[in-house]
Amino acid sequence: MDLIASGQGFILLVLGIAALGLEVWALVQAIRFRKDAYPAAGKQTKVLWVTLTAVGAAIGFVSFQNPLGFLSIIAVAIAAIFLVSVLPALRSVQGPGGRTSNGPYGGW
């Protein structure tokens, strides 16, 4: 039984670290884009998304050993919503690097 419990604990730890990585990645992406890109993409403000993803990353950091907890799931949901909905819209407005897609030499 100890082997099964150890295996389950290891899997939960890996899931918690992966969730934390996802939340930190969403936070970094939220910070990268200019503040005027958010309304141009038809999304909420940069302050809101940076705050939400920062709170999600903080929750993920505090509770990475319990990735199936209620707050952990909410934190992953915030990161997922940002990465699936907001980030593609920002990239379409500003380009993948967080800069305008058409510079003085044209787009890629």
Side-chain angles (χ1 to χ4, degrees), residues 13-97:
L13 181 64
V14 169
L15 286 175
I17 292 171
L20 177 60
L22 182 77
E23 293 151 3
V24 169
W25 179 252
L27 174 61
V28 168
Q29 295 301 312
I31 292 170
R32 253 176 19 118
F33 287 87
R34 294 189 337 226
K35 106 177 169 176
D36 61 338
Y38 285 81
K43 301 299 177 181
Q44 295 293 325
T45 64
K46 179 177 182 172
V47 172
L48 176 75
W49 281 110
V50 169
T51 302
L52 284 173
T53 55
V55 168
I59 290 170
F61 179 74
V62 170
S63 64
F64 74 93
Q65 291 182 339
N66 183 18
L68 300 178
F70 180 70
L71 291 177
S72 297
I73 292 173
I74 289 175
V76 169
I78 290 169
I81 289 168
F82 178 83
L83 292 171
V84 171
S85 176
V86 179
L87 185 60
L90 291 172
R91 285 183 175 160
S92 71
V93 168
Q94 222 175 328

